[in-house]
Amino acid sequence: MELTQIKAVIFDMDGVLLDSETISWRTWEIAAQERNLPDIKKVNALCMGANRADTVAILKEHYGKDFDGYDFLDYCSSLFEKIEFSEGIPLMPYVKETLEYLKSKYTLALASSTREFKVRRQLKACGIIDYFQTITTGDMVEHSKPYPDIYIKACESINVRPQDCIAIEDSPNGIKSAQSAGLYPIMIPDKIQPDNELISLCYKVLPSLKEIRELL
């Protein structure tokens, strides 16, 4: 791959730009404990990067077809908002420095499985929404990550071919989505470390956003 061909960088949000996964994991553990749900960490890991509908399908697969996944997610969302509004959501390390470095060289876009109103609210609160030319979210596609739809739509929104884009992700579902859409995925692990199979799908695995400047 010639890096000179790259025209755009598309970011995931949760766990890449915002340290929201830490809060999300807290809410899932609280909700699971109250409902006596086993293996919540394992199930949460499978849901990372998936949109709301696909997350509900995963929950039903593990906890039974009668499990009310939407009620569970709504409760987790209410817990999340209490923490968000009382404590704020921290940025991940090197976010602003990386965005400042990239903005004059590439088109920047966002592809997050989170719903649009939350994405915009959280990016505004953290002061980074204006870096992105377009924002594509999980409620804009039928199936989000690991399906390729969200990255295909994000590339279309900036009129750049997938093969001319880099995707920056932290989750297995995100990497699979970007790779299957034809982008070059860079993984910056947050809560989940990649196994050999996942590493084979990545263009690079980096310890933090800081190393992006050495690559692009």
Side-chain angles (χ1 to χ4, degrees):
M1 169 187 167
E2 291 291 336
L3 289 180
T4 53
Q5 80 185 56
I6 295 301
K7 297 177 180 177
V9 181
I10 303 179
F11 284 85
D12 175 42
M13 183 181 77
D14 298 300
V16 173
L17 299 173
L18 307 187
D19 191 14
S20 45
E21 297 290 8
T22 298
I23 300 174
S24 179
W25 282 53
R26 283 167 61 186
T27 68
W28 278 54
E29 288 179 347
I30 293 168
Q33 187 173 26
E34 292 178 1
R35 289 163 168 77
N36 296 315
L37 300 176
D39 302 322
I40 197 63
K41 287 187 176 181
K42 173 185 174 182
V43 176
N44 193 353
L46 292 172
C47 294
M48 285 181 67
N51 68 3
R52 186 173 169 86
D54 292 334
T55 297
V56 168
I58 294 169
L59 288 167
K60 285 182 177 292
E61 182 180 342
H62 282 80
Y63 298 123
K65 60 183 176 62
D66 295 328
F67 181 79
D68 193 339
Y70 287 104
D71 177 72
F72 178 84
L73 293 181
D74 286 343
Y75 183 57
C76 289
S77 292
S78 70
L79 293 173
F80 190 104
E81 287 184 3
K82 288 178 181 178
I83 298 170
E84 176 186 349
F85 294 140
S86 63
E87 302 176 17
I89 305 176
L91 289 173
M92 297 295 285
Y94 309 108
V95 167
K96 287 194 173 178
E97 302 96 312
T98 302
L99 293 174
E100 278 291 327
Y101 170 75
L102 293 174
K103 71 176 185 179
S104 63
K105 301 180 67 176
Y106 304 97
T107 297
L108 302 184
L110 190 103
S112 171
S113 292
T114 301
R115 287 175 286 176
E116 183 180 11
F117 79 94
K118 285 189 175 183
V119 169
R120 291 188 177 277
R121 181 184 74 211
Q122 292 169 6
L123 291 177
K124 285 178 181 176
C126 293
I128 58 173
I129 192 168
D130 291 335
Y131 286 102
F132 302 104
Q133 181 171 314
T134 64
I135 292 172
T136 307
T137 56
D139 47 356
M140 296 178 182
V141 293
E142 182 179 357
H143 292 293
S144 191
K145 307 167 187 178
Y147 296 89
D149 310 35
I150 193 167
Y151 272 106
I152 293 171
K153 190 174 183 68
C155 291
E156 290 173 348
S157 74
I158 54 175
N159 197 29
V160 179
R161 301 182 306 167
Q163 59 265 41
D164 295 333
C165 297
I166 278 176
I168 301 182
E169 278 282 354
D170 71 304
S171 72
N173 282 339
I175 292 296
K176 291 173 184 176
S177 173
Q179 196 271 341
S180 61
L183 291 80
Y184 292 93
I186 293 176
M187 185 174 189
I188 301 176
D190 179 28
K191 301 302 182 189
I192 301 175
Q193 294 299 314
D195 56 19
N196 289 335
E197 180 183 356
L198 194 62
I199 290 172
S200 71
L201 301 180
C202 298
Y203 173 66
K204 293 284 185 182
V205 178
L206 300 176
S208 75
L209 284 172
K210 184 179 182 180
E211 288 72 29
I212 292 290
R213 297 181 64 166
E214 301 171 10
L215 188 68
L216 296 176

